[in-house]
Amino acid sequence: MKRIQLIVLGWICLSLATFTGQAQGKREYVIVVHGGAGAMGGLEQNAELSAQYYAALDSALDQGAAVLDRGGKGEEAVLAVLRYCESNPLFNAGVGATCTAEGTFELDASIMRGQDLSAGAVAGLQHVKHPIDAAYRVMTQSEHVMMAGEGAERFAREQGLEMVDDNLYFATPKTMKWVEQLKQESKKNGTVGCVVLDKEGNLTAGTSTGGMFKKKWGRIGDSPVIGAGTYADNASCAVSCTGHGEYFIRHAVAYNLCARYKYLNEPVEKAADYIIHQELNSEAGNGGLIAVDKSGNIAMPFNSGGMFRGYLYKERSTGAVRRQVGIGKSLRH
Ligand code: ASP
């Protein structure tokens, strides 16, 4: 009898340790950001420009860390990071977004909360200053998951979000050149995304983009499609993708990763590598993703020339903050 009691006690202790280990992983919080994947065309050799990107990625991570350090939720951190990126002309989201074949700017964004699988997405916005805010309002203030075009703009206006009268607000000198000429086949890939594991163990994912250069009117990519460009589930991972959206939709990449993690018990890095390097590569589906799992492990694979990316996490035991950012293969800091 005594032996049985001991075994039961041992089992209870082990279960408790496992449970606490999961709920309170070795990282107090984790933030991962991407600023798009693409060919990069020797960007790393351009010291001045690459320094601007590194600095922007660092600032984006700082925005998220500031929110989490003052006790904010993961979804607030995702919003802060993506709002910053939408305001930074270096990235293909908000100001700096790439243009359609008609020289206009049509913006897409989405956000998902892993705690209750609630999600919000917007597509084809032309006058909402921060598309990620509109996606968040769809998630929190409507009974819907996805809204597009004029209806989405009307909803954003009703919600009191900041609007811009002129669609060219999103243009920069660089994108204006494309608008005027629409000849340059430069494929600007600078969609932005952020995934966060917060102090409560909640996962959030968000993505914002101008889409693909010279896209047809009304074209919607993977970024606002829940399950393709964005997904978060506290039982598995938070994921944000960037790349050739049509392929990411076909392969339901963001959900695919969570499903491999959940049902095949694959570590997040293995699942992410498989999808990006095997599934997508076999169809020339160019791009990458960022992911964090419920234990705080990170994956950031890409099959393109490079991907603007970075992570920042705080160690629970020491309070030390670790961070790295990268454009090409290597990471620095
Ligand atoms: N995935 C985005 C889209 O297809 C573009 C990108 O990430 O660069 O709209």
Side-chain angles (χ1 to χ4, degrees):
M1 186 66 182
K2 223 174 169 190
R3 215 172 134 185
I4 289 175
Q5 279 175 334
L6 271 175
I7 291 170
V8 171
L9 195 70
W11 180 81
I12 291 172
C13 288
L14 201 69
S15 311
L16 265 177
T18 315
F19 175 75
T20 336
Q22 274 177 3
Q24 304 232 312
K26 54 190 188 305
R27 295 173 182 174
E28 191 177 321
Y29 63 70
V30 181
I31 306 164
V32 194
V33 66
H34 75 71
M40 300 301 168
L43 177 66
E44 274 180 303
Q45 277 70 62
N46 181 336
E48 203 181 311
L49 190 57
S50 57
Q52 286 178 27
Y53 275 101
Y54 286 127
L57 289 166
D58 267 328
S59 301
L61 290 168
D62 288 339
Q63 300 288 325
V67 171
L68 298 177
D69 280 334
R70 64 164 165 73
K73 291 182 187 172
E75 59 199 63
E76 292 171 57
V78 166
L79 289 177
V81 169
L82 295 185
R83 259 190 228 123
Y84 168 81
C85 294
E86 286 175 345
S87 300
N88 189 321
L90 286 174
F91 301 116
N92 173 16
V95 178
T98 196
C99 59
T100 67
E102 305 205 306
T104 56
F105 300 92
E106 295 186 1
L107 312 176
D108 308 331
S110 66
I111 187 162
M112 184 163 185
R113 187 196 270 158
Q115 193 179 6
D116 56 5
L117 303 187
S118 56
V122 286
L125 299 185
Q126 297 201 33
H127 303 97
V128 181
K129 191 169 181 183
H130 286 294
I132 194 65
D133 282 343
Y136 186 71
R137 293 300 177 100
V138 172
M139 175 170 90
T140 56
Q141 306 298 325
S142 86
E143 64 275 41
H144 305 305
V145 166
M146 194 173 197
M147 296 181 79
E150 274 176 31
E153 296 219 331
R154 193 163 144 191
F155 172 74
R157 200 169 276 117
E158 277 172 19
Q159 286 292 314
L161 295 186
E162 204 170 338
M163 308 294 287
V164 295
D165 290 336
D166 189 351
N167 184 237
L168 289 181
Y169 165 84
F170 299 107
T172 64
K174 188 171 171 182
T175 56
M176 269 314 279
K177 255 192 226 158
W178 302 346
V179 172
E180 280 152 22
Q181 303 164 0
L182 266 181
K183 277 186 224 135
Q184 191 180 331
E185 289 297 318
S186 150
K187 297 201 180 76
K188 186 177 177 184
N189 292 66
T191 294
V192 296
C194 179
V195 295
V196 166
L197 172 69
D198 71 13
K199 292 181 187 178
E200 312 295 321
N202 288 316
L203 290 168
T204 310
T207 312
S208 180
T209 189
M212 301 277 284
F213 179 58
K214 277 171 80 172
K215 65 183 180 183
K216 278 201 172 56
W217 51 92
R219 177 266 187 189
I220 296 172
D222 61 314
S223 308
V225 177
I226 298 299
T230 304
Y231 201 78
D233 177 0
N234 275 9
S236 54
C237 310
V239 188
S240 169
C241 304
T242 174
H244 197 146
E246 280 68 11
Y247 293 92
F248 282 74
I249 294 175
R250 288 180 195 130
H251 288 264
V253 169
Y255 180 73
N256 193 343
L257 194 162
C258 293
R260 294 190 77 90
Y261 179 96
K262 197 166 158 183
Y263 302 121
L264 299 179
N265 287 319
E266 282 186 358
V268 63
E269 267 193 289
K270 189 175 171 198
D273 278 346
Y274 177 80
I275 296 166
I276 294 297
H277 295 298
Q278 308 282 324
E279 276 195 35
L280 290 184
N281 243 3
S282 65
E283 290 190 28
N286 215 256
L289 62 81
I290 53 169
V292 58
D293 71 12
K294 62 183 181 179
S295 306
N297 301 303
I298 296 165
M300 309 189 292
F302 53 93
N303 61 26
S304 42
M307 180 167 83
F308 301 111
R309 66 202 183 282
Y311 68 78
L312 181 157
Y313 64 81
K314 193 173 202 174
E315 281 182 358
R316 193 178 295 281
S317 54
T318 61
V321 171
R322 314 260 174 230
R323 64 158 78 212
Q324 283 196 306
V325 291
I327 296 174
K329 288 215 164 9
S330 57
L331 291 165
R332 57 187 254 179
H333 257 299

